[in-house]
Amino acid sequence: MGGDHGLPVTLAACLDFLKRDSLASLLLVGRESDIRSAPAFAALQASSRAHVIHAPEVVEMGDPPAVALRSKRQSSMRLAFEQVGLGHAHGAVSAGNTGALMAISRNVLKTIEGIDRPAIATFIPNRSGSSTLMLDLGANVDCTAEHLAQFGLMGSALSTAMGVLQPRVALLNVGEEVIKGNELVKQAAEQLRQMPLHFIGNVEGNDVFKGAADVVVCDGFVGNVALKTSEGVAQMLGAFLKEEFRRGLFSRLAALIASPVLRAFVKRVDHRRYNGAVLLGLRGVVVKSHGSADAYGFRHALERAAEAARHRLVQRISESLAERPEFLRPSES
Amino acid sequence: MGGDHGLPVTLAACLDFLKRDSLASLLLVGRESDIRSAPAFAALQASSRAHVIHAPEVVEMGDPPAVALRSKRQSSMRLAFEQVGLGHAHGAVSAGNTGALMAISRNVLKTIEGIDRPAIATFIPNRSGSSTLMLDLGANVDCTAEHLAQFGLMGSALSTAMGVLQPRVALLNVGEEVIKGNELVKQAAEQLRQMPLHFIGNVEGNDVFKGAADVVVCDGFVGNVALKTSEGVAQMLGAFLKEEFRRGLFSRLAALIASPVLRAFVKRVDHRRYNGAVLLGLRGVVVKSHGSADAYGFRHALERAAEAARHRLVQRISESLAERPEFLRPSES
């Protein structure tokens, strides 16, 4: 239990989550005394749907993954994944150190048979009003075509689990006529065509936000750059808009009058609703919240985990893989 | 002479360009009869600083680069580059087919000694109020570390030519602690450290828009995705903002009152001011305009070419390379 803002935020999110989801219950993994003494805990305890599991150690944001993995055997992160592994929890959510999260979740839960590497997937808003699932976002910075094909399969399974009937899976590529992508992407397209999924071909960076596909596949380097670039542009535009509305008396007055409209706009593009990246390919549901998430954002990460578990994400991925046994072990083919 | 909107737009841009730049003159390369019969031509001719060079052929947007290169020996694109090669022009601007532009410019002008591949560089706005030069944006989708180092050197030269005293050159990378980039980026960092430029290390996608560096280097695949993703986000946010301001009577009234502020905002983020990508590494100045540019945007592309030529872009790159002869032929080392 943590995140940049500590227990007040995560516990408030837990409370709100339980209020809205009458069937869910929570295991709060962390320092028991800290959790029990937090003001928000009383209400959680009263719900009788939150239980504390004591973890004496904490993975710090600066811990190298290898250290977190080997030296902190009693970390809250590890114990939370163990609850999933033991079947005591249907999923785990953490706002902690991403590197450690990847290493420990993989060590504790193992990957699904046929998956070489887990991928990080997140939903991003698009103009059509729905959302686009994009992966990988940084777990794998050196990928093979087989990895990208596996990402497509896992992304399709997650998208299906989230209610899309036949997810359109696309490959992120560059668009000039002369350039049909780098070698990796060309090979990945071949592989994706043979996968049990609805592959619609290439999309370009701008298509992602048009809703041209339900699932967009890319290697972790490209995905991470694309996601962070998007965040950077959105932040810059937001800052410029604010500055213009603060420039002089007239602008401030205009801002006051336009405030309901501006609020509606801000709500619509609120990135907190998209908080909660899913680690795909593990034998258990693991969701990563932004470290800086507030209670509203963290609640969405909890909801994402609950949804993924209820819709049998892990089984769906296994089943998809079973349809194409020849892809199970691409490294041995 | 062309672009998606044809001669009326490009000729209007030419006229405006000449009005603002009293020392410049233009060679208009295209079908002579078309140019001379265009209504805007009279004013250009009156300036006596615009001359027509007849080109009987046109590279179409759908022409494969190889076809444009080999079969259209009298295309306006080729003839324009030949003017640069012959020293009759200091630079060429085209709104045509990017693939053909790359192939023909390279064929006609050749690359600077020591440069394996030309790169496409463009300026993008940042929060600090200045702009960031990013390259490559799609000319090279499979790069080696040496190519990225050359991009750094060329970008630094362009940035210097545009007035930055000691450009901060950074490598676009992913940021999680555990992941220090893919193999390509790790090797490129090593190379960049030894180059005669001010290398400041890695930046992440969101840093690009913060103005953390003057020059951001990446391979063409990543750069293309990052640029198009940025455009996609900006378009989506713009569309959402418009929609909110059109939702009902009150919102429309608010839009009316806020319109001077909104106009100031739109002006500030106007991508047309950033039109004009520079093809770096050729023995001549070549600038690529967006095909869809209007007169305002196309004028900026003309200005970019004039500026690059006046500040001796090609010589600057050659001089930088001469400082490090060991990098001149990385493929032979």
Side-chain angles (χ1 to χ4, degrees):
Chain A
M1 298 290 294
D4 300 356
H5 307 301
L7 283 170
V9 157
T10 38
L11 290 179
C14 289
L15 196 61
D16 200 22
F17 168 69
L18 289 182
K19 268 188 197 149
R20 288 159 174 269
D21 188 330
S22 59
L23 296 171
S25 61
L26 290 169
L27 300 177
L28 311 172
V29 190
R31 283 207 190 92
E32 185 160 9
S33 56
D34 291 358
I35 295 174
R36 288 194 184 279
S37 61
F41 182 69
L44 271 171
Q45 195 170 33
S47 78
S48 77
R49 287 190 284 138
H51 310 277
V52 180
I53 292 180
H54 178 60
E57 290 176 307
V58 173
V59 173
E60 304 293 344
M61 289 313 269
D63 284 345
V67 171
L69 180 65
R70 288 191 212 112
S71 327
K72 296 192 170 172
R73 310 295 292 187
Q74 296 294 311
S75 70
S76 54
M77 207 184 262
R78 173 175 280 274
L79 297 193
F81 297 142
E82 284 178 359
Q83 292 299 312
V84 176
L86 291 165
H88 299 168
H90 291 102
V93 176
S94 169
N97 175 335
T98 309
L101 192 80
M102 287 292 302
I104 298 175
S105 64
R106 197 172 165 175
N107 179 264
V108 172
L109 294 171
K110 314 296 178 207
T111 54
I112 295 171
E113 193 178 346
I115 297 297
D116 293 340
R117 303 179 182 190
I120 301 178
T122 202
F123 289 91
I124 53 181
N126 65 41
R127 282 173 80 164
S128 77
S130 62
S131 59
T132 305
L133 182 68
M134 197 164 163
L135 75 163
D136 174 42
L137 295 173
N140 310 284
V141 293
D142 286 297
C143 288
T144 65
E146 285 78 13
H147 293 139
L148 292 186
Q150 290 175 6
F151 298 167
L153 205 128
M154 296 194 291
S156 182
L158 176 56
S159 184
T160 309
M162 295 299 173
V164 180
L165 213 58
Q166 195 189 24
R168 296 159 300 158
V169 179
L171 197 54
L172 189 58
N173 204 339
V174 295
E176 293 303 341
E177 318 71 37
V178 57
I179 305 158
K180 305 235 169 69
N182 54 18
E183 282 309 313
L184 174 65
V185 165
K186 286 180 202 166
Q187 290 168 23
E190 286 307 306
Q191 300 259 348
L192 279 162
R193 261 183 262 284
Q194 299 166 57
M195 281 283 187
L197 49 81
H198 181 37
F199 179 55
I200 59 165
N202 296 325
V203 291
E204 294 183 55
N206 48 340
D207 296 326
V208 175
F209 298 91
K210 288 181 187 158
D214 299 300
V215 179
V216 173
V217 171
C218 56
D219 80 57
F221 190 92
V222 170
N224 188 286
V225 166
L227 189 74
K228 287 193 173 149
T229 305
S230 313
E231 288 173 2
V233 173
Q235 283 162 4
M236 181 180 74
L237 294 179
F240 284 177
L241 194 62
K242 251 188 207 161
E243 279 173 35
E244 292 304 333
F245 270 114
R246 281 178 185 162
R247 202 184 289 277
L249 197 65
F250 173 78
S251 297
R252 282 167 193 269
L253 191 70
L256 204 69
I257 292 164
S259 64
V261 186
L262 293 172
R263 266 201 304 275
F265 170 69
V266 167
K267 193 177 166 189
R268 188 159 170 192
V269 297
D270 190 346
H271 62 90
R272 296 177 303 169
R273 288 192 290 140
Y274 297 91
N275 185 40
V278 183
L279 268 69
L280 285 172
L282 297 167
R283 298 183 191 218
V285 171
V286 175
V287 170
K288 160 82 175 94
S289 164
H290 261 291
S292 62
D294 62 5
Y296 182 78
F298 196 76
R299 189 195 91 210
H300 278 85
L302 290 168
E303 289 172 352
R304 182 87 68 208
E307 241 180 315
R310 284 197 177 117
H311 291 95
R312 304 169 46 256
L313 172 65
V314 176
Q315 291 86 334
R316 276 176 198 272
I317 295 174
S318 303
E319 285 160 18
S320 292
L321 282 163
E323 281 184 51
R324 283 287 185 281
E326 66 271 30
F327 285 104
L328 276 179
R329 291 263 162 249
S331 46
E332 291 171 24
S333 69
Chain B
M1 300 290 294
D4 301 355
H5 308 301
L7 282 170
V9 157
T10 38
L11 290 180
C14 288
L15 195 61
D16 200 22
F17 168 70
L18 289 182
K19 268 189 198 150
R20 289 159 175 270
D21 189 331
S22 58
L23 297 171
S25 62
L26 289 169
L27 300 177
L28 311 173
V29 189
R31 284 209 187 90
E32 185 160 9
S33 55
D34 292 357
I35 296 175
R36 290 196 183 276
S37 61
F41 181 69
L44 270 170
Q45 195 169 30
S47 77
S48 77
R49 288 190 283 138
H51 310 277
V52 180
I53 292 180
H54 177 59
E57 290 176 307
V58 173
V59 173
E60 304 294 343
M61 291 311 272
D63 283 346
V67 171
L69 179 66
R70 289 191 211 114
S71 327
K72 296 194 171 172
R73 312 293 293 186
Q74 296 295 313
S75 71
S76 54
M77 207 184 261
R78 172 176 280 273
L79 297 193
F81 297 143
E82 284 177 359
Q83 292 301 313
V84 176
L86 292 165
H88 299 169
H90 292 102
V93 176
S94 169
N97 176 335
T98 309
L101 192 80
M102 287 290 305
I104 299 175
S105 64
R106 198 174 163 174
N107 181 264
V108 172
L109 294 172
K110 314 295 178 206
T111 54
I112 295 171
E113 194 180 344
I115 297 296
D116 292 341
R117 304 181 183 188
I120 300 177
T122 201
F123 289 92
I124 51 180
N126 66 41
R127 283 174 77 164
S128 77
S130 61
S131 59
T132 305
L133 182 68
M134 197 161 162
L135 75 165
D136 175 43
L137 295 174
N140 309 282
V141 294
D142 286 297
C143 289
T144 64
E146 285 78 14
H147 293 140
L148 292 186
Q150 291 174 6
F151 298 167
L153 205 128
M154 296 193 291
S156 183
L158 177 57
S159 184
T160 309
M162 295 299 172
V164 180
L165 214 59
Q166 194 189 26
R168 296 160 301 158
V169 179
L171 196 55
L172 189 58
N173 204 338
V174 296
E176 292 301 340
E177 316 74 34
V178 59
I179 305 158
K180 304 231 169 70
N182 54 17
E183 281 311 312
L184 173 65
V185 165
K186 285 181 203 166
Q187 289 167 25
E190 286 307 307
Q191 301 259 351
L192 279 163
R193 261 182 263 285
Q194 297 165 59
M195 280 283 186
L197 50 82
H198 181 37
F199 180 55
I200 60 164
N202 297 325
V203 292
E204 294 182 54
N206 48 338
D207 296 326
V208 175
F209 299 91
K210 288 180 185 160
D214 299 301
V215 179
V216 173
V217 171
C218 54
D219 78 60
F221 190 91
V222 170
N224 188 287
V225 166
L227 188 75
K228 288 194 173 146
T229 306
S230 312
E231 287 172 3
V233 173
Q235 282 162 3
M236 180 180 75
L237 294 179
F240 283 178
L241 193 63
K242 249 186 209 160
E243 279 173 34
E244 292 303 332
F245 270 112
R246 280 177 187 164
R247 201 184 290 280
L249 197 64
F250 173 79
S251 297
R252 282 167 192 270
L253 190 69
L256 204 69
I257 292 164
S259 65
V261 186
L262 293 172
R263 266 202 304 274
F265 169 70
V266 167
K267 194 178 166 190
R268 188 160 169 189
V269 297
D270 190 346
H271 61 89
R272 296 177 303 170
R273 289 192 290 141
Y274 298 92
N275 184 39
V278 184
L279 266 68
L280 285 171
L282 297 167
R283 298 181 191 220
V285 171
V286 176
V287 169
K288 159 83 175 92
S289 163
H290 262 290
S292 62
D294 62 6
Y296 181 77
F298 196 76
R299 190 195 90 209
H300 278 85
L302 290 169
E303 289 172 352
R304 180 87 68 210
E307 243 181 314
R310 285 198 176 115
H311 291 95
R312 304 169 45 256
L313 173 65
V314 176
Q315 292 86 334
R316 276 174 197 273
I317 295 175
S318 302
E319 285 159 20
S320 292
L321 282 163
E323 282 185 49
R324 283 284 185 284
E326 67 270 30
F327 284 104
L328 275 179
R329 288 268 165 246
S331 47
E332 290 169 26
S333 67

